[in-house]
């Protein structure tokens, strides 16, 4: 077996991305995932970590559950939306009825070939990277499989260098922007969901071809607010954070602009400079703050 290209004792690098050492997934399993058999009805949620994965899971499950109340009642979102890279834990995928729902943090070049070949629906949720950094800092501080950051300053630089889980935020978003013509992809901005969740749900339903009544859309929106999800054990990963994996709830603040409570003026200037260098031709506009 090839020795791991270690970024830290907790992360190894493969194809420009960083994966958890403590997971059993290695280069071979990651490569094998590309041959994973995709159905044309599959739906993927794809995110860079801490960008709203769990939020989109809830929205998607509520939309699909509108026509299948039994399915909705039976299990948590974590069971309904399968983590693709977690597939080594077992293979519950084959028996699933259509549409199967997945989430993944993988970059486009590491996805199963069928995602592109069968033009399956991909929902890509992205969030302004300053808040992603802060959210990930707290996540790493409370996650048993990740290195506890030495300090916020150290983590700040690790994030900019891409020495964190999944690698560079900049590369992830750029890779998906560049791949958008080859994929059947719908981009959703976390901050737009904060500003007008209903509008984003309506747009998502149009992409998914889900014809919901106004009343059902209102229900989906209501079930997907931060307030409701925080107390909904099917949505908030309570079953995990009560185990040894997380010591704190992953539903932390759910706002846009928390970076202002963490970045120094100098850090913010440095971040903006790096952002400009890396995202020169970036076709999407970041929203750095949403007033609540
Ligand atoms: P914070 O740590 O900034 O609070 P992911 O699911 O990709 O790990 O992302 C986690 C982030 O999404 C956390 O951000 C979490 O609070 C936020 N989040 C989850 N559900 C949300 C909701 N309904 N509304 C707003 N933010 C939500």
């Amino acid at each position: 077996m090839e020795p791991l290209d270690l970024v830290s004792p907790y992360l190894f690098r493969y194809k420009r991305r960083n994966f958890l050492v403590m997971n059993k997934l290695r280069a071979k399993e990651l490569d094998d995932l590309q041959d994973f058999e995709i159905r044309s009805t599959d739906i993927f949620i794809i995110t860079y970590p801490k960008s709203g994965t769990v939020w989109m899971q809830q929205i998607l499950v509520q939309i699909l559950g509108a026509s299948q109340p039994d399915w909705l009642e039976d299990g948590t979102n974590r069971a309904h939306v399968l983590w693709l890279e977690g597939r080594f834990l077992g293979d519950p995928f084959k028996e699933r009825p259509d549409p199967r729902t997945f989430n993944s943090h993988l970059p486009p070049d590491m996805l199963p070939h069928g995602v592109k070949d069968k033009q399956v629906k991909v929902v890509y949720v992205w969030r302004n990277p300053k808040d992603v950094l802060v959210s990930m800092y707290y996540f790493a501080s409370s996650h048993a499989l990740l290195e506890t950051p030495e300090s916020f300053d150290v983590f700040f630089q690790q994030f900019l260098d891409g020495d964190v889980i999944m690698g560079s935020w900049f590369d992830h978003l750029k890779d998906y922007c560049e791949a958008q013509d080859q994929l059947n992809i719908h981009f959703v901005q976390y901050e737009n969901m904060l500003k007008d969740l209903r509008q984003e749900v309506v747009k998502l339903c149009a992409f998914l071809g889900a014809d919901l009544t106004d009343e059902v859309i209102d229900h989906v929106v209501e079930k997907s607010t931060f307030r409701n999800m925080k107390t909904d054990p099917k949505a908030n990963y309570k079953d995990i954070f009560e185990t040894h994996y997380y010591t704190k709830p992953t539903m932390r603040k759910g706002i846009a602009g928390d970076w202002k409570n963490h970045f120094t003026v100098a850090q913010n200037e440095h971040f903006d400079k790096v952002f400009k260098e890396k995202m020169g031709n970036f076709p999407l506009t970041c929203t750095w703050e949403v007033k609540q």
Side-chain angles (χ1 to χ4, degrees):
M1 214 203 301
E2 289 275 306
L4 291 180
D5 179 7
L6 289 176
V7 176
S8 74
Y10 291 79
L11 296 175
F12 70 94
R13 204 155 176 77
Y14 184 61
K15 293 186 175 170
R16 295 189 297 126
R17 306 288 151 172
N18 302 332
F19 299 92
L20 289 173
V21 169
M22 283 195 234
N23 273 355
K24 293 191 191 79
L25 206 66
R26 295 289 183 260
K28 179 180 180 316
E29 288 79 14
L30 284 165
D31 285 344
D32 286 350
L33 273 181
Q34 299 211 281
D35 297 321
F36 175 67
E37 207 175 321
I38 291 294
R39 299 180 197 158
S40 56
T41 47
D42 290 341
I43 301 171
F44 274 75
I45 296 171
I46 298 184
T47 56
Y48 182 83
K50 312 319 292 173
S51 300
T53 324
V54 165
W55 194 1
M56 186 50 75
Q57 283 180 352
Q58 171 77 341
I59 296 168
L60 183 63
V61 166
Q62 293 299 320
I63 290 174
L64 298 177
S67 56
Q68 320 166 64
D70 291 347
W71 175 79
L72 190 62
E73 283 311 308
D74 182 24
T76 63
N77 292 352
R78 202 159 63 84
H80 288 317
V81 186
L82 298 169
W83 182 34
L84 183 73
E85 305 90 288
R87 143 165 213 265
F88 60 94
L89 293 172
D91 196 359
F93 297 85
K94 288 203 177 90
E95 307 306 320
R96 296 267 165 157
D98 295 340
R100 300 183 304 181
T101 46
F102 298 92
N103 72 262
S104 175
H105 299 308
L106 292 174
D109 55 296
M110 294 178 80
L111 288 176
H113 298 303
V115 172
K116 179 178 148 206
D117 296 346
K118 298 197 173 166
Q119 289 290 291
V120 304
K121 293 187 174 84
V122 173
V123 180
Y124 185 89
V125 186
W126 68 285
R127 182 183 192 185
N128 90 64
K130 295 181 186 177
D131 283 324
V132 171
L133 186 159
V134 172
S135 183
M136 193 182 271
Y137 168 72
Y138 284 103
F139 185 67
S141 307
S142 63
H143 195 306
L145 303 186
L146 289 169
E147 185 168 29
T148 302
E150 209 178 299
S151 66
F152 185 77
D153 291 359
V154 169
F155 187 80
F156 180 90
Q157 197 53 49
Q158 285 172 334
F159 184 90
L160 288 183
D161 293 340
D163 289 340
V164 292
I165 177 99
M166 283 318 296
S168 159
W169 177 91
F170 305 96
D171 287 349
H172 205 273
L173 190 51
K174 275 196 287 195
D175 288 350
Y176 273 98
C177 286
E178 279 163 17
Q180 63 182 302
D181 294 343
Q182 293 147 43
L183 297 170
N184 183 8
I185 189 166
H186 175 67
F187 286 88
V188 181
Q189 208 168 337
Y190 176 97
E191 293 80 12
N192 283 347
M193 294 203 285
L194 280 180
K195 283 192 233 167
D196 190 343
L197 183 54
R198 194 177 199 287
Q199 190 179 69
E200 292 307 313
V201 170
V202 168
K203 283 196 232 163
L204 181 62
C205 286
F207 175 69
L208 296 173
D211 189 13
L212 305 190
T213 63
D214 284 352
E215 205 183 351
V216 175
I217 290 175
D218 289 341
H219 180 71
V220 172
V221 171
E222 181 58 16
K223 291 286 284 183
S224 308
T225 60
F226 186 83
R227 193 187 61 248
N228 281 347
M229 282 180 60
K230 207 167 164 62
T231 54
D232 179 350
K234 286 190 172 163
N236 62 20
Y237 278 49
K238 193 167 183 284
D239 55 327
I240 291 200
F241 73 69
E242 281 179 347
T243 68
H244 58 284
Y245 281 123
Y246 303 120
T247 53
K248 296 213 180 89
T250 162
M251 307 256 333
R252 195 182 57 90
K253 277 197 180 173
I255 62 169
D258 196 30
W259 59 272
K260 292 192 161 186
N261 301 317
H262 295 80
F263 286 25
T264 63
V265 172
Q267 278 174 332
N268 192 36
E269 283 172 6
H270 181 52
F271 195 107
D272 286 342
K273 188 167 160 280
V274 174
F275 185 90
K276 216 168 159 189
E277 279 163 17
K278 296 204 188 255
M279 306 302 278
N281 301 321
F282 188 54
L284 304 169
T285 308
C286 276
T287 302
W288 299 111
E289 190 180 13
V290 175
K291 298 267 185 223
Q292 298 285 312

